[in-house]
């Protein structure tokens, strides 16, 4: 079973070092046990929906918008260096994976190498926890 992964990026090369929902774009990958392939790049259209001065931290509307945007693309896994408080909302619909690798391709490769763990969390549905991959070990929260 392959998984569809959305990677939070601003430049297409690196994962952002901010909350997942603050990315300018998401690179969408299909990942299976043998390979990973970038299939699409989508702009984060939710980012401009709110005025930064009035946006509340952990805005449920922002979480809903991101969920709708990525579900439309068939995404199952979210990959970033950081997630904000909305992680509690999005993990009902996705497996959030925190990668301690900055280069996007290295983080996707690390996710591929731990695909069984990610699949296991995906199967838990609304009981999902996020995963932290640091290159040596994994940690479930």
């Amino acid at each position: 079973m392959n998984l569809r992964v959305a990677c939070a990026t601003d430049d297409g090369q690196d994962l952002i070092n901010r909350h997942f929902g603050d990315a300018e774009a998401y690179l969408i990958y299909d990942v299976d046990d043998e390979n990973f392939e970038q299939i699409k790049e989508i702009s984060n259209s939710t980012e401009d929906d709110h005025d930064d001065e009035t946006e509340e931290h952990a805005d449920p509307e922002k979480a809903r918008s991101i969920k709708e945007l990525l579900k439309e693309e068939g995404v199952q896994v979210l990959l970033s260096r950081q997630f904000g408080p909305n992680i509690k909302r999005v993990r009902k619909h996705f497996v959030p994976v925190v990668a301690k690798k900055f280069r996007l391709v290295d983080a996707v490769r690390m996710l591929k190498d731990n695909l069984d763990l990610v699949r296991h969390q995906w199967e838990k549905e609304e009981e999902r926890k996020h995963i932290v991959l640091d290159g040596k070990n994994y940690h479930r929260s």
Side-chain angles (χ1 to χ4, degrees):
M1 171 189 166
N2 72 320
L3 292 174
R4 186 151 293 174
V5 181
C7 304
T9 188
D10 288 343
D11 63 5
Q13 301 296 314
D14 298 313
L15 291 175
I16 63 168
N17 201 18
R18 302 184 314 279
H19 295 166
F20 180 88
D22 295 337
E24 291 180 17
Y26 300 107
L27 294 186
I28 310 296
Y29 282 82
D30 278 340
V31 180
D32 65 29
D33 293 311
E34 303 298 321
N35 299 304
F36 57 91
E37 176 184 13
Q38 180 186 332
I39 59 166
K40 193 173 196 178
E41 179 176 345
I42 57 173
S43 294
N44 182 358
S45 58
T46 66
E47 187 174 36
D48 297 325
D49 288 349
H50 299 90
D51 178 356
D52 287 341
E53 292 182 20
T54 61
E55 184 178 347
E56 67 179 90
H57 200 59
D59 181 5
E61 182 61 28
K62 186 173 184 179
R64 185 191 61 74
S65 295
I66 289 171
K67 176 191 73 130
E68 289 176 2
L69 175 72
L70 297 177
K71 279 292 187 183
E72 203 170 281
E73 300 296 332
V75 168
Q76 299 150 298
V77 180
L78 310 180
L79 182 63
S80 189
R81 287 178 49 91
Q82 292 183 37
F83 287 85
N86 270 332
I87 194 171
K88 294 175 185 173
R89 290 184 179 96
V90 299
R91 72 180 181 208
K92 294 177 183 177
H93 307 280
F94 307 99
V95 177
V97 177
V98 177
K100 298 298 182 180
K101 298 275 186 185
F102 195 71
R103 300 295 295 176
L104 196 145
V105 70
D106 294 335
V108 174
R109 186 174 291 113
M110 190 169 48
L111 186 141
K112 179 189 80 66
D113 292 344
N114 290 278
L115 208 52
D116 287 340
L117 173 66
V118 179
R119 285 185 185 121
H120 179 72
Q121 284 301 314
W122 173 251
E123 292 168 0
K124 289 184 173 187
E125 298 182 1
E126 290 198 21
E127 300 299 318
R128 291 182 192 112
K129 303 291 183 189
H130 73 274
I131 299 169
V132 177
L133 299 174
D134 66 9
K136 300 174 207 150
N137 303 299
Y138 71 87
H139 315 275
R140 283 188 306 252
S141 176

